[in-house]
Amino acid sequence: MTKAQDNIISRRGLIKAGGGLIAAAPLLASTRPSEAQDSGFDVIVIGGGFAGCTAARELGNAGLKTLLLEARPILGGRTHTGEFNNHPTEFGGTWVHWCQPHVWAEMTRYGLGVKESAGAVPDKAAWMVDGKVRTEPANVYLEIFVAAMQKFCDVDGMGGMTVFPQAHAPFATEGWKQYDGMTCLDRIAQIDATEEEKAMLNSWVAICCHNDPALAGFVDMLKWYSLGDFNVGLLWDRCGHYKIKEGTAGLIKKLVEDGKPEVKLSTAVKKVTQNADAVFVTVENGETFKAKRVISTVPMNTLKNVEFDPPLMPAKIAASKEGHTGKGVKFYFTIDKNIGNYLASAPYPFPISMFWTEYAEGDHTTLVAFGAPTELDLLDPTVLTPHVNQFIPGAKVLDVAGFPWAEDEYIGGTWCFYRKGQFTNALAALQTEEGLVHFASADSANGWRGFIDGAIERGSHVAHTVINALNKA
């Protein structure tokens, strides 16, 4: 591990003091020649995020010789447990809930705990409408926002319940198809809502799609709403309130220790070739590994960068080239005021869609923020401060830290939110196995797609598909 990797700076989007998983990663890595390079592996898993590590655990526990290849120097995929201001900090995927069944089952299995994000239950809220900020007790904000979301999602006179009646079985009905050609902005324009309600909805969609709301497919918002049992308060609680006490890195470590795959870090896959009997995986240094099956967990936005022979089905490639919308920024910042449990929102194109308190200590507050892609360097305190001051006058930003997930060549984005048409054109295609190559990613989950839970769902499901296939062979 180089000094640069061990002490990554915060400016220009790089994690500051990201010690947690970076320190643990060498303990999980293989430093010896592959034990099965000549005879081959049963399964090669490409990608060491939650989908890949879950799949590798299931395969290993089934007695299969498994190789886990990860392009980056650490495991975790689009998650990373680091440190900011002497606090454990999640720079990528973060929140979990007991209504996210797959991740909760894993936390229960390994005895992991939860902790809260203070701002998920704010005392005070501020929101921007037509460039002006209104600040009120949080219950005032919530009353307006809940009413706006009910209008937004009630496409059927039943609160949207007929569109996805089974939140974890998206293809159970076809009611969603009539809305897949619509963006979230199209829907906002349709409803009878005040300018204040529209501004709140715009901000909500911007954080959910992590981009310009004009790119967000309305069907995905209806899908998220179903995961909250058609109640935005429950949805918020399930996707923004609770974190893993031991960190996402803690769960990744448990998965790998349990499954005991051979792990190779900093090993980018360049080509996957298959014939009727085997799959050959060639990595960046020219080394080739053989397996009976392969599970690719490469993210949707970067799948196009891996060569497959024979080529992947056109729908997969088209989905990867178009990409999902998640291209925005997530970062943490500390101000020189204690503002308690606070939440703020602003409609696109304001550079910060939403931010809220992570913790308040003494005369400082640290907040987590999300914004659509921007040319502004929001990780520069002098650039960020004027935008924060529109909500918190006189506050000075003292420090900022984040990670540029969208710029990472092996990840290419944050969480998955589909564009219009992608529910129809991409979801089933991304799930489809091709010969001896199988695909598992949070980007193609049936339930909490784009979340840690969705990654575990797909990793487990596809691993057992492979186990069953090999048992029958």
Side-chain angles (χ1 to χ4, degrees):
M1 188 63 60
T2 67
K3 182 66 176 175
Q5 290 170 330
D6 193 48
N7 185 27
I8 308 176
I9 62 173
S10 61
R11 290 296 308 282
R12 304 304 302 177
L14 297 176
I15 291 173
K16 176 183 180 180
L21 188 51
I22 287 179
L27 301 178
L28 303 176
S30 171
T31 57
R32 64 189 186 280
S34 295
E35 297 173 355
Q37 189 165 355
D38 292 332
S39 60
F41 292 88
D42 292 315
V43 186
I44 294 173
V45 178
I46 303 172
F50 272 97
C53 290
T54 301
R57 190 272 310 275
E58 296 298 296
L59 297 165
N61 286 347
L64 297 175
K65 192 178 297 182
T66 304
L67 174 64
L68 178 61
L69 300 175
E70 168 53 47
R72 303 170 76 240
I74 54 175
L75 297 174
R78 281 170 277 187
T79 66
H80 180 88
T81 306
E83 188 176 281
F84 181 58
N85 289 341
N86 299 314
H87 283 263
T89 301
E90 297 293 346
F91 288 95
T94 302
W95 291 280
V96 298
H97 196 275
W98 45 93
C99 289
Q100 295 180 9
H102 303 282
V103 68
W104 194 256
E106 299 299 344
M107 292 170 63
T108 302
R109 178 199 296 245
Y110 297 120
L112 304 183
V114 297
K115 58 182 180 179
E116 296 186 72
S117 288
V121 187
D123 300 316
K124 184 183 293 185
W127 59 99
M128 182 179 287
V129 184
D130 291 330
K132 298 179 181 179
V133 174
R134 178 181 175 186
T135 303
E136 300 282 358
N139 65 297
V140 176
Y141 169 87
L142 292 172
E143 183 177 345
I144 300 168
F145 176 55
V146 168
M149 275 296 289
Q150 288 172 341
K151 294 178 185 179
F152 183 64
C153 294
D154 187 14
V155 294
D156 54 4
M158 297 183 64
M161 294 178 66
T162 64
V163 182
F164 290 109
Q166 299 179 48
H168 290 262
F171 301 121
T173 65
E174 296 186 346
W176 54 269
K177 289 186 176 180
Q178 63 185 302
Y179 306 110
D180 202 22
M182 179 184 293
T183 69
C184 286
L185 279 194
D186 292 336
R187 176 58 181 170
I188 291 173
Q190 276 187 349
I191 63 175
D192 182 14
T194 67
E195 291 305 310
E196 186 171 48
E197 289 174 324
K198 290 180 178 180
M200 286 184 175
L201 289 171
N202 184 299
S203 172
W204 171 255
V205 172
I207 189 175
C208 291
C209 78
H210 219 189
N211 211 317
D212 178 349
L215 302 178
F218 179 50
V219 162
D220 238 15
M221 198 73 264
L222 292 172
K223 179 64 165 57
W224 280 39
Y225 200 54
S226 73
L227 291 164
D229 290 336
F230 310 98
N231 179 308
V232 72
L234 293 179
L235 175 59
W236 173 257
D237 194 63
R238 293 173 187 181
C239 66
H241 192 170
Y242 299 98
K243 302 178 284 188
I244 302 172
K245 184 178 180 181
E246 295 80 3
T248 56
L251 181 50
I252 285 286
K253 189 169 185 286
K254 291 289 187 182
L255 291 168
V256 175
E257 288 177 342
D258 192 351
K260 299 179 177 61
E262 181 174 341
V263 178
K264 286 188 173 293
L265 301 177
S266 300
T267 306
V269 171
K270 305 307 291 184
K271 185 174 182 179
V272 179
T273 304
Q274 63 173 308
N275 57 35
D277 303 311
V279 189
F280 302 87
V281 178
T282 302
V283 299
E284 203 163 35
N285 69 1
E287 198 172 4
T288 296
F289 303 95
K290 177 184 176 182
K292 297 173 184 175
R293 299 270 173 159
V294 161
I295 297 176
S296 168
T297 71
V298 178
M300 172 180 173
N301 282 2
T302 55
L303 185 62
K304 63 182 182 290
N305 298 332
V306 179
E307 181 183 355
F308 287 83
D309 183 15
L312 296 181
M313 59 192 295
K316 270 197 185 75
I317 297 300
S320 183
K321 287 182 176 179
E322 184 177 38
H324 60 69
T325 65
K327 290 278 192 176
V329 293
K330 174 189 179 182
F331 58 92
Y332 295 83
F333 66 96
T334 299
I335 60 173
D336 63 349
K337 292 178 181 289
N338 188 323
I339 59 172
N341 290 353
Y342 178 91
L343 180 144
S345 75
Y348 183 85
F350 193 79
I352 313 171
S353 306
M354 201 172 282
F355 61 92
W356 61 84
T357 299
E358 273 292 286
Y359 46 87
E361 298 174 325
D363 56 359
H364 292 170
T365 305
T366 294
L367 305 102
V368 59
F370 298 85
T374 177
E375 295 299 318
L376 297 174
D377 182 5
L378 295 178
L379 300 183
D380 182 339
T382 63
V383 173
L384 181 60
T385 293
H387 299 290
V388 173
N389 286 164
Q390 294 190 51
F391 292 87
I392 311 167
K396 181 181 179 181
V397 176
L398 303 175
D399 201 4
V400 192
F403 186 82
W405 297 102
E407 298 173 22
D408 189 297
E409 64 178 311
Y410 302 117
I411 290 178
T414 55
W415 59 87
C416 174
F417 196 97
Y418 280 168
R419 301 169 188 266
K420 70 176 184 179
Q422 287 186 334
F423 218 97
T424 298
N425 300 322
L427 179 55
L430 290 170
Q431 294 178 348
T432 302
E433 64 191 64
E434 302 196 37
L436 305 179
V437 180
H438 303 252
F439 297 85
S441 167
D443 303 339
S444 57
N446 285 327
W448 288 92
R449 184 165 35 76
F451 290 77
I452 295 169
D453 188 81
I456 295 172
E457 170 211 311
R458 296 312 298 168
S460 177
H461 174 81
V462 173
H464 282 277
T465 298
V466 170
I467 292 166
N468 292 337
L470 291 178
N471 284 341
K472 292 176 182 177

